[in-house]
Amino acid sequence: MISNAMVAALNQQISLEGYASFLYLSMASWCDREGMEGCALFMHRQSAEERMHMLKIFDYISEVDGHALTPEIKQPPHEFSSVQELFQTVYEHEQKVTASINELVALSNKENDHSTGVFLQWYVNEQREEEALMRSILDKIKLIGNGPQSLYFIDLEIAKINAAAVQAEGEEA
């Protein structure tokens, strides 16, 4: 049986994942407005992935006879000073999600809740991959620099990253 404390903590994670989905959707809109189609597509895919993360926890809570709650989601920012700031914000948010997942793992260990601990291992791996991806993107943005054509090349690189991810997802299915 899952504890009330664990259900409450997992419901908080649902809220964090839901916020990430809306944040990335807002970022997709900003990218689209700025003419960065590749970045917009990437952020739309990221938004959908975060929603899937949220629903996976939602379903888990129900499966273990808890009560999953639909989250209240605070309005994410709509404006960014640059694509660099946008991806730095993504990276910082992913770090926040990683810290939250680590706290959930610690709570599952403290409560000897092995079922939840095993469930959370998928998120531990996912967060390692997400942070590595965002660091890689930030590194590419630094390499490209701030020259007159930098936005074009940044958008092109993000489009390539997105296409590779979509292809990998297709191969997994």
Side-chain angles (χ1 to χ4, degrees):
M1 178 139 178
I2 192 166
S3 74
N4 290 337
M6 183 57 76
V7 169
L10 288 169
N11 274 313
Q12 281 298 111
Q13 190 66 32
I14 287 172
S15 183
L16 192 58
E17 302 286 350
Y19 177 79
S21 180
F22 279 31
L23 173 64
Y24 299 163
L25 192 59
S26 176
M27 290 174 166
S29 178
W30 183 87
C31 290
D32 188 52
R33 189 186 73 203
E34 296 297 314
M36 295 183 293
E37 185 179 312
C39 290
L41 289 171
F42 176 84
M43 295 312 298
H44 273 288
R45 191 180 56 73
Q46 288 296 116
S47 175
E49 184 176 300
E50 296 300 331
R51 183 174 187 280
M52 181 272 293
H53 295 173
M54 177 186 75
L55 292 174
K56 189 172 180 146
I57 298 169
F58 197 91
D59 292 342
Y60 175 78
I61 292 172
S62 294
E63 185 179 306
V64 294
D65 204 26
H67 186 189
L69 304 175
T70 55
E72 178 179 352
I73 309 240
K74 128 184 148 164
Q75 184 72 50
H78 295 286
E79 297 295 332
F80 304 92
S81 63
S82 66
V83 70
Q84 293 86 348
E85 178 201 0
L86 181 139
F87 278 102
Q88 184 63 42
T89 301
V90 172
Y91 181 56
E92 289 168 4
H93 186 76
E94 291 297 340
Q95 290 177 313
K96 182 178 178 178
V97 171
T98 298
S100 181
I101 294 295
N102 289 339
E103 289 172 15
L104 287 169
V105 170
L107 180 59
S108 73
N109 289 337
K110 178 182 170 195
E111 294 189 354
N112 290 320
D113 181 349
H114 301 293
S115 177
T116 302
V118 168
F119 169 75
L120 291 170
Q121 287 308 303
W122 182 88
Y123 286 89
V124 170
N125 293 331
E126 178 69 13
Q127 283 310 120
R128 184 192 69 246
E129 292 170 5
E130 289 294 320
E131 283 194 38
L133 174 61
M134 294 311 153
R135 275 193 312 275
S136 169
I137 288 172
L138 286 170
D139 288 345
K140 283 180 183 8
I141 290 172
K142 280 184 203 169
L143 285 172
I144 292 169
N146 293 321
Q149 292 86 21
S150 65
L151 289 180
Y152 172 79
F153 290 110
I154 290 168
D155 193 53
L156 195 61
E157 284 299 313
I158 301 303
K160 288 179 194 174
I161 291 168
N162 193 55
V166 168
Q167 181 179 353
E169 289 167 2
E171 291 171 2
E172 288 177 8

